[in-house]
Amino acid sequence: MSPAKTARVSVYAAKKGVKSSTDTNDELEEWRRGKQLLKPKSQLDLSDAELKETIGKQLSTLNPQLPDSIVEFNYAAGGFISLPLPGNTVVVYELQGTSMHKDSEEARDQMVELGIDPSTFEESSESSLDTEPKAEAIEVKPEEEGEEATEAKEEEPEDEQAKPDKADEEPEAEGDGEGEVEVKVEPAKPPQKGGRPRKLTNQFNFCERAALTFNNPTRSQETQTVPPPMATFSANVLQWVIYDAYQKDFEAQQLEKELERERKERDKAPVSRHQASKKGQGRAQLSEAVQGRVLDCWKVLERMINQNTYDDIAKDYRYWDDPSDEFRDEEGTLLPLWKFTYDRTKKNTITDLEWNPYYYDLFQVCFGFFEFLKPTAEGAVCMFTLKNPSFPDYICMTESGVMCVDTHPRYPYMVVIGLYDGNVEVFNVQATCKTSAYKSNSVTNKHKGIVWEVKWAPDLPDGELNFYSVSTDGNINNWVLMQNELAVTTILTLFFAKESVPGPDGTHLKPKSCASCIKLHPKKPLIYLVGTEEGQIFKCSTAYSSMCLFTYNAHLLPIARIDFNKYNTDIFISCSSDWRIKIWEDNRLEPLFVFDLGDRVGDVKWAPYSSTVFAAVTSEGKVYVFDLNVNKYKPICIQAVVSRRRNRLTRLSFNPKLPIIIVGDDKGCVTTLKLSPNLRIPCKAPKKQQYLDQWTLQCMKLDKLLSLVREPVTLTFPQDLAGTDVS
Amino acid sequence: MADTEVKEQKEEPKKIVHTYPLVRHSDMAEETKAEIMELVVTACEKFSSNNEAAAKMVKDEMDKKLGPPFHVVVGEDFGFEISYECSNLLYMFFGGNLAIVIWKC
């Protein structure tokens, strides 16, 4: 900057300062107020006049700061020499241009280098227009730049190529001038081309730098994933292949369904807990399985031996029909066949007998006692088969005498028994005979008296098995087989019809009657009959727990058995220790038939093959068979089966298929008896109605018979002529 | 083994009563299998007279569901020997006369 300029600036600043001082004066005053200004000690105290005095200051071009008389040691001169004063100029900005004046030495050199004669160039330029120098100056620039670029690249051919271009350009630019120039330039070129062109670098403003980093060596690294697992598969599709596959699959499905159904049924019949516990034993179980197979072999062998031993009996059982029956009118005989005993229960009385509902040759025998003054230590329920009279197939020993048994009609391996001590037990003989699958709790839920009869009831809607039991404590209980316990419900408690008895401390006690037998109605699931030790028969319904539907004053002594007729379920028979057998019709107070057998009747049963045949056993060891169709007053067969003095017969049971009965005595012996042909005469169809089947005929036969004996209640009974006791 | 759509419609006397889908061979997961069976049933019922269209539909759906390279054969009579990616094979019968092979490779 020139000194004049700086002066101007400062003046401006002064002006500005004055201006601003007037502006800020007020503020300053305000600020100063109340403030003690500290003054430096050296400050002069000036009077107002002095303060108001104007002191002029002049700006000059001289820099008072500038050092003068600078010297430098000169080695050549061997002394100090003074240096000229440094100028007042200060370089603020400098830019080096690339253009040069054409008159300068450098431009001249360049022109020579390019092969242009500077003199001619000057000439032409002078002759050209005023704008020429400007154009020239512009023109040179690309030239030099191009050169620099080529220099950087150091590539000759391009450099050379660029030159002709420029040469071309030049004439163009000067095109408006004379063509002479062009002609003159041409010859100048060859010498230039021949000689190696010198590099024209600006040695002060040129720098070339390059750096090359290391190239890292390449390395290849690769990984490979495991290919997805492959497999091959092949098949042939033909119509028959498809058809066969469907057939096979369908069969398998059917089989599966069948198995499923079977499994469900098996689940319904609960297998005892003991089977579950057995599973854990492993080897023991295996050996048990082996033992079981060996046992099977022995059983077969045993049966073969028995068949040989009892060959004649087996033949009798199968073929022998008493030929004398043809000549004996209206009378028949019983042929004794096998006798079944079991050594351990020889002292027991047979308290109940029942054929298995599924296997016609199998029957259950209960071993208990009726002589209550001489109780036996243990009881048993044994299952005998006709094929093996020497030994029972299944033996279930119990701690107390077994008084009654019933086998489930659908699950023939589920056997329920009632005990002398009031307990009930359920055996799953298929699983094990050693322990019961279910047992009533002998402390909390058992009968408080002898269980006289147990009967399976139809399964509950959700498939649970249940049964009824009657006992001398007057309770009729319904037991349901839960998962692992017996649930008990007392559905009825029987009371005497008499008024309550005053107790010792003023309370009134209603005496209970003792149930001695029960029979479920075969068709109506709610209805059942209960016989008592007082000789009454109550017709009850499970729907009512407080009252009976009907009461028959049937007997004078305990009722031993009630049995429904197999053909007409309105008809039932009862027997009692008062020597009598009575046949009843539903809702009729008086019996239709009464038979006096002259001794305690232990059991009476309707025959399964005839509507009018029934059999009874008495304590004196006789079996009575009646056929009402043949003789309404007398039995058609009386046969002593055991010796009168030593043995008493207790129970009897008809085989549901075969013409045989079994009777049990008080010495633990079961006798099989075959009914002679006269005792099992089938119905002959009337000539008009040949097409009727046996069932209808049997029903008709009974109805016809009943119509003879049914009498209006108002009628007086005629004098009994036959000698039997008609009440 | 290429996926060939066998198209010939051979009319047989209808003595076959079973038309339910029947899996002959499969190494798929149970749920996938059920899903695909349903798909096949839908396709075969939709294009009951055009096995090619049925196969195409099944293939497209399978590609969408389980990733692309699926092959489907629908036909009545053919033989095949294929290599497939494990757990991606289903060989089933349907409709009493159709065999369907689905595999990924």
Side-chain angles (χ1 to χ4, degrees), chain A residues 105-299:
Chain A
E105 220 22 61
E106 220 179 344
R108 217 169 275 272
D109 284 352
Q110 197 174 349
M111 258 182 272
V112 170
E113 195 69 39
L114 291 170
I116 305 164
D117 193 2
S119 56
T120 53
F121 188 77
E122 253 167 84
E123 237 174 47
S124 65
S125 65
E126 270 163 18
S127 61
S128 65
L129 295 168
D130 288 345
T131 53
E132 193 78 327
K134 218 187 236 175
E136 182 67 23
I138 298 161
E139 213 178 66
V140 177
K141 217 198 275 179
E143 194 180 332
E144 215 176 47
E145 273 177 357
E147 215 156 24
E148 263 179 23
T150 49
E151 275 161 15
K153 285 174 196 164
E154 292 186 343
E155 276 180 16
E156 288 303 315
E158 267 189 35
D159 203 359
E160 275 175 358
Q161 217 177 352
K163 268 161 198 166
D165 283 354
K166 270 165 237 160
D168 285 347
E169 264 175 61
E170 268 170 39
E172 257 179 34
E174 294 157 8
D176 355 42
E178 320 94 304
E180 289 175 18
V181 183
E182 216 178 304
V183 182
K184 274 180 187 168
V185 170
E186 284 298 324
K189 258 185 184 174
Q192 192 225 5
K193 264 199 174 172
R196 189 184 162 80
R198 201 160 51 82
K199 255 195 249 174
L200 271 188
T201 52
N202 183 342
Q203 57 175 320
F204 300 108
N205 279 335
F206 175 75
C207 114
E208 188 183 16
R209 280 184 193 162
L212 202 58
T213 58
F214 281 111
N215 284 334
N216 287 325
T218 55
R219 224 184 304 165
S220 61
Q221 205 169 11
E222 51 201 33
T223 78
Q224 209 167 22
T225 56
V226 181
M230 303 288 278
T232 55
F233 177 67
S234 63
N236 271 313
V237 181
L238 295 163
Q239 286 303 306
W240 63 262
V241 170
I242 297 175
Y243 181 82
D244 283 1
Y246 269 112
Q247 289 300 323
K248 213 172 165 188
D249 185 65
F250 188 69
E251 267 168 34
Q253 276 181 14
Q254 295 300 105
L255 196 70
E256 183 65 27
K257 265 183 208 164
E258 191 74 17
L259 285 174
E260 184 68 23
R261 201 172 53 76
E262 268 175 25
R263 210 174 304 138
K264 262 185 196 163
E265 268 182 17
R266 207 174 303 149
D267 285 351
K268 259 190 197 172
V271 181
S272 73
R273 286 160 288 172
H274 315 290
Q275 235 183 7
S277 65
K278 229 199 278 177
K279 271 178 189 168
Q281 293 171 4
R283 181 169 289 187
Q285 192 191 356
L286 188 74
S287 69
E288 209 165 272
V290 172
Q291 279 176 10
R293 214 173 299 157
V294 173
L295 190 71
D296 280 347
C297 296
W298 283 114
K299 268 187 179 171

Side-chain angles (χ1 to χ4, degrees), chain A residues 225-232, chain B residues 27 83-89 104-105:
Chain A
T225 56
V226 181
M230 303 288 278
T232 55
Chain B
D27 54 356
S83 43
Y84 62 97
E85 227 181 276
C86 283
S87 80
N88 279 303
L89 172 74
K104 184 179 181 174
C105 183

